[in-house]
């Protein structure tokens, strides 16, 4: 065979050829030769490669470079090209010496895989596994699995390869299962997946949890129910239901779907019912209910569709069918009939064989829909069987069915533990008894109440409520004596023997504390007031006081009861007991009521006793509660006592009230002093108010009033100096200066027309300024006259005398020329009134 001339060494190659002839086993020389001829055609380079590997057959570098160039040559060629066979021969020759080199094997195997040579590729993979050490098998198995997963590779071959691989590395079981699923090998896939779940040491290399694998197994068993056998599907899914509580609804529907696919619809219905009766979350219940209803709707739709098809077939050949039956006679003698045809002819018309039971299916679907509220309520009660509100809602679902309601109440009172109840457990007993009462069965209602009062509730109030409801039922049925007997029975204190026995047991029930229930006693006393006598009612009130469970309102009610029956002194004794029992702030209402009733009753007859009561009340009251007491005390002195004592009370109140109420108290004090004694009396009150440490905002108001009242002839400059010393800001002082200037200027004119007596001091009945609750002021004219008592001659009222007749003008000189200020002209009002009006504006 002749060699083409272009393959012979050229003139440029002689240098490399001579060096190789001198040293043919030098890898360096051969490599320099190949690099120098890098641009030469592959055929010429192939000759050089062949000569090099022949001289150096153990050189990995030469074989690797040679094989890579051959792979590049065939890359774009079809797999049927002759170059592939030449490439394969080259790989086989290389592996003679390179059989321990995994990269050469991998290159060869990938090339064979692309050539679709299934048998040769499989045998080559096996040769590689045999030739290489186990530590390098991982590099071979990866392309091997890719090869057996290709289409065209026999499934049995792939299975054998995967099973061998799992012996090498069992952790890749998930890859095998995925291959089985892709190959539709459902039986082995289910078995392998079940084995994985049963292996406690299994670890998913794909990061899947046991929960995900379990769901995959369930889906596999359900979707291929007829193709997978040998596994206990029911037990597997039920195990998942017990273990994975967050997917309970889905697993129940999967189990029902499994039986539907197996052709067992009745078993599927049982599974749906069981699921709805066992789930504990509304979400799982909704999943099961929706799937169940869809199943019933689909079966109903299928049956109706089949009926429509049969009707159409009956119209087409209905007449012929009847003739055929007559001709054929007894179908049991026709041995040519198939089993299905025989059943159809024999059982035609039998109701037990009515596969198209549309009415039954409609009723079943309607019954399921109507049961939804009850089933949903059952789910909530399974979450917490001690939820009282849910039991009431369950009873309401059966409205119109008293038998079902009674059964529900019976189950409720047996199930609910009063110590764990959410809500008020006694309401179940009360509603149970009310159900019997509404149906005119009072005797059974009493039986229910009698059982209810024996239950050990969590709180005494629950037990007391049952007794009260029982008594109210007796009242509704006009059994007044029975209601009183019930209350007497309920409020009876347990005997010493019972207390000793309970103390030895160590678990004290609420019945032992019932006799101290305020709610029960309050109801009892109301009954006695309405149905009993005064003596029996007083006995109940006294028992409440003896038990020390009375409230301020009970004290007041007791006193009012005695007052209605004209036992005034007894009523006041009750008030006395009340103010000794309670402290502030609870005793406040008792004191106010007591003092009001006492004053209204005795007026001026027992004035000293009234004063002692007021003094005692004020002594016990904190500062924030004394103001109404002082005002009431002062009113008593004004109406029935002495004006001097009234002023003393106002003076004490102004000092005793908190700082935030001092200003209001001083306003009342000043107004009452001005009205009773005249303006001169108010000057010392103003001084006292200024020295008492009023807040700054009130001092801006009290100082100008004091300046105007101190001396009406005070000039403007002195007033301004006084305001400066008081610390009034410049802007407010300027405003006051503008207001005071007209008043000072017109002072002689106002004095010129005044007619002076001995006491009047030039002031006529000044209006009273009183703070309202919203912070404003109310100006009221006080037309009330103070009547002095007969024994007032023993008291000194600061020299207040009554003018008998006017004094001649000559006695007073210039003072007689002053005129009385007119109330009709706003510009000529006094400074006090003018500043008050300004503040109100």
């Amino acid at each position: 065979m002749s060699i083409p001339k272009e393959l012979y060494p050229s003139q440029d190659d002689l240098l490399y050829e001579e060096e190789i002839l001198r040293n043919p086993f030098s890898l360096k020389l051969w490599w320099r030769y190949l690099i120098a001829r890098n641009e030469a055609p592959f055929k010429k380079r192939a000759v050089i490669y062949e000569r090099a590997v022949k001289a150096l057959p153990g050189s990995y570098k030469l074989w690797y470079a040679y094989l890579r160039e051959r792979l590049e040559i065939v890359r774009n060629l079809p797999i049927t090209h002759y170059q592939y066979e030449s490439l394969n021969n080259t790989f086989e020759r290389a592996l003679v010496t390179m059989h321990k080199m995994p990269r050469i094997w991998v290159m060869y195997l990938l090339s064979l895989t692309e050539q679709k040579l299934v048998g040769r590729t499989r045998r080559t993979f096996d040769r590689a596994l045999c030739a290489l050490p186990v530590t390098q098998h991982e590099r071979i198995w990866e392309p091997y699995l890719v090869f057996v997963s290709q289409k065209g590779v026999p499934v049995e071959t792939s299975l054998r390869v995967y099973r061998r691989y799992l012996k090498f590395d069992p952790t890749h079981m998930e890859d095998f299962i995925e291959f089985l699923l892709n190959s539709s090998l459902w039986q082995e896939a289910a078995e392998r997946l079940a084995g994985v779940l049963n292996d406690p040491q299994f670890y998913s290399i794909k990061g899947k949890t046991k929960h995900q694998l379990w769901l995959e197994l369930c889906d596999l068993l359900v979707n291929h129910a007829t193709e997978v056998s040998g596994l206990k599907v029911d037990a597997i899914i039920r195990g998942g239901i017990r273990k994975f509580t967050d997917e309970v609804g889905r697993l129940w529907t999967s189990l029902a779907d499994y039986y539907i696919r197996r052709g067992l619809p009745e078993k599927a219905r049982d599974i749906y019912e069981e699921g709805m009766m066992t789930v504990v979350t509304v979400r799982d219940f909704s999943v099961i209910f929706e799937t169940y209803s869809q199943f019933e709707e689909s079966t109903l739709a299928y049956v109706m569709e089949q009926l429509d098809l049969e009707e159409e077939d009956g119209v087409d050949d209905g007449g012929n069918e009847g003739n055929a039956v007559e001709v054929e006679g007894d179908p049991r003698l026709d041995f040519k009939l198939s089993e299905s045809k025989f059943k159809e002819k024999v059982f035609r018309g039998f109701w037990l064989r009515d596969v198209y039971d549309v009415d039954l299916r409609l009723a079943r679907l309607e019954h399921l829909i109507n049961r939804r509220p009850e089933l949903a309520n059952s789910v909530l009660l399974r979450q917490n069987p001690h939820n009282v509100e849910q039991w009431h809602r369950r009873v309401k679902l059966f409205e119109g069915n008293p038998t079902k309601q009674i059964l529900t109440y019976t189950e409720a009172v047996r199930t609910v533990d009063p110590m764990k109840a959410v809500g008020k457990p006694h309401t179940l007993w009360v509603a149970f008894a009310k159900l019997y009462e509404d149906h005119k069965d009072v005797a059974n209602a009493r039986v229910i109440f009698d059982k209810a009062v024996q239950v050990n509730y969590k709180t005494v109030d629950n037990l007391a409520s049952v007794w009260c409801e029982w008594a109210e039922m007796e009242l509704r049925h006009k059994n007044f004596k029975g209601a009183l007997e019930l209350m007497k029975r309920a409020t009876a204190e347990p005997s010493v023997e019972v207390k000793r026995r309970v103390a030895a047991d160590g678990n004290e029930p609420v019945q032992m504390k019932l006799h101290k229930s305020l709610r029960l006693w309050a109801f009892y006393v109301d009954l006695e007031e309405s149905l009993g006598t005064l003596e029996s009612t007083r006995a109940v009130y006294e028992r409440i006081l003896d038990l020390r469970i009375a409230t301020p309102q009970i004290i007041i009610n007791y006193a009012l009861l005695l007052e209605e029956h004209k036992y005034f002194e007894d009523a006041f004794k009750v008030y006395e007991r009340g103010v000794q029992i309670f402290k502030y702030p609870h005793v406040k209402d008792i004191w106010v009521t007591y003092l009001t009733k006492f004053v209204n009753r005795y007026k001026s007859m027992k004035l000293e006793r009234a004063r002692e009561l007021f003094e005692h009340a004020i002594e016990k009251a904190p500062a924030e509660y004394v103001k109404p007491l002082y005002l009431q005390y002062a009113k008593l002195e004004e109406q029935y006592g002495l004006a001097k004592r009234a002023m003393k009370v106002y003076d004490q109140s102004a000092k005793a009230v908190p700082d935030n109420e001092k200003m209001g108290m001083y306003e009342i004090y000043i107004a009452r002093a001005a009205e009773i004694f005249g303006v001169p009396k108010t000057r010392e009150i103003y001084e006292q108010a200024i020295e008492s440490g009023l807040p700054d905002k009130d001092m801006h108001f009290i100082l100008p009033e004091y300046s105007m009242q101190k001396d009406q002839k005070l000039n403007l400059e002195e007033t301004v100096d006084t305001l400066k010393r008081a610390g009034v800001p410049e802007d407010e002082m300027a405003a006051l200066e503008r207001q005071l200037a007209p008043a000072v200027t017109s002072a002689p004119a106002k004095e010129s027309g005044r007619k002076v007596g001995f006491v009047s001091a030039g002031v006529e009945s000044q209006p009273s300024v009183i703070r309202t609750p919203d912070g404003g002021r109310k100006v009221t004219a006080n037309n009330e006259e103070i009547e002095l008592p007969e024994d007032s001659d023993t008291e000194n009222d600061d020299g207040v005398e009554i003018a008998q007749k006017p004094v001649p003008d000559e006695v007073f000189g210039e003072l007689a020329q002053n005129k009385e200020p007119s109330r009709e002209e706003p510009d000529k009002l006094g400074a006090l009134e003018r500043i008050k009006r300004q503040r109100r504006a």
Side-chain angles (χ1 to χ4, degrees), residues 251-287:
L251 292 175
W252 278 114
T253 56
S254 298
L255 183 56
D257 192 18
Y258 168 76
Y259 284 111
I260 293 173
R261 293 175 185 271
R262 294 293 299 269
L264 301 172
E266 294 301 327
K267 181 66 175 176
R269 289 190 179 93
D270 293 341
I271 297 298
Y272 282 128
E273 292 289 340
E274 182 181 358
M276 290 190 298
M277 297 304 295
T278 55
V279 295
V280 294
T281 64
V282 177
R283 181 175 65 88
D284 292 332
F285 168 77
S286 301
V287 171

Side-chain angles (χ1 to χ4, degrees), residues 343-393:
K343 290 182 179 180
E344 181 180 355
K345 289 181 176 293
V346 171
F347 296 108
R348 178 177 297 165
F350 283 71
W351 67 273
L352 288 175
R353 292 290 300 174
D354 187 9
V355 295
Y356 305 126
D357 46 356
V358 178
D359 295 338
L360 175 62
R361 296 178 187 273
L362 278 173
R364 183 179 287 156
L365 178 60
E366 183 178 359
H367 179 61
L368 175 63
I369 295 174
N370 293 336
R371 288 168 55 213
R372 176 161 191 166
E374 178 185 353
L375 294 172
N377 179 262
S378 299
V379 173
L380 296 175
L381 286 176
R382 281 193 293 275
Q383 291 179 358
N384 184 7
H386 308 290
N387 191 326
V388 176
E389 179 61 26
Q390 292 302 327
W391 281 110
H392 283 297
R393 293 181 182 180

Side-chain angles (χ1 to χ4, degrees), residues 467-496:
W467 282 104
C468 294
E469 292 289 344
W470 191 357
E472 287 182 359
M473 184 191 75
E474 299 295 346
L475 292 176
R476 287 194 294 269
H477 292 83
K478 310 300 181 183
N479 186 10
F480 305 123
K481 183 177 180 181
L484 288 173
E485 289 296 327
L486 281 176
M487 289 295 100
K488 184 177 181 181
R489 173 185 164 191
T491 55
E493 186 174 359
S495 63
V496 177

Side-chain angles (χ1 to χ4, degrees), residues 188-204:
E188 187 171 358
E191 293 174 355
R192 294 283 184 173
L193 196 52
V196 164
L197 290 171
N198 292 329
D199 184 6
Q201 298 180 349
F202 175 78
Y203 175 76
S204 174

Side-chain angles (χ1 to χ4, degrees), residues 595-732:
L595 295 173
T596 302
K597 294 292 185 180
F598 190 89
V599 172
N600 292 340
R601 169 65 181 165
Y602 292 112
K603 295 181 173 58
S604 62
M605 291 185 293
K606 294 187 178 182
L607 189 58
E608 288 301 324
R609 182 178 173 186
R611 287 170 178 166
E612 291 178 1
L613 288 177
F614 275 107
E615 293 292 343
H616 184 59
I618 292 170
E619 179 184 356
K620 298 293 184 180
E624 60 268 21
Y625 295 106
V626 297
K627 183 177 179 180
L629 297 176
Y630 272 117
L631 293 178
Q632 198 171 358
Y633 189 9
K635 184 177 180 182
L636 169 70
E637 294 293 349
E638 290 183 12
Q639 290 180 340
Y640 308 112
L642 302 175
K644 174 186 174 182
R645 296 187 67 93
M647 292 299 104
K648 183 179 179 182
V649 171
Y650 281 124
D651 183 70
Q652 293 176 354
S653 66
K655 298 175 182 178
V657 296
D659 291 341
N660 60 339
E661 295 181 353
K662 283 185 181 295
M663 184 61 187
M665 202 67 230
Y666 272 114
E667 288 180 349
I668 299 173
Y669 186 11
I670 293 170
R672 301 305 298 160
E675 185 171 351
I676 297 174
F677 297 105
V679 173
K681 178 66 176 176
T682 64
R683 295 170 186 168
E684 60 184 61
I685 303 176
Y686 278 117
E687 293 176 355
Q688 177 184 336
I690 294 171
E691 296 173 357
S692 65
L694 286 174
D696 292 340
K697 60 183 182 65
D698 296 329
M699 291 288 290
H700 300 337
F701 168 66
I702 208 73
L703 277 174
E705 288 189 359
Y706 170 63
S707 300
M708 291 297 98
Q709 294 298 329
K710 185 177 180 182
D711 188 357
Q712 292 184 354
K713 294 183 179 181
L714 185 68
N715 57 34
L716 181 59
E717 290 77 8
E718 294 178 350
T719 303
V720 172
D721 292 339
T722 304
L723 295 176
K724 285 183 178 180
R725 289 194 301 272
V728 178
E730 293 292 337
D731 52 350
E732 296 187 13

Side-chain angles (χ1 to χ4, degrees), residues 265 269 294-304 361 364:
R269 289 190 179 93
Q294 290 175 6
F295 165 68
E296 294 291 355
E297 291 173 358
S298 62
T299 55
L300 178 62
Y302 171 77
V303 169
M304 297 182 70
R361 296 178 187 273
R364 183 179 287 156

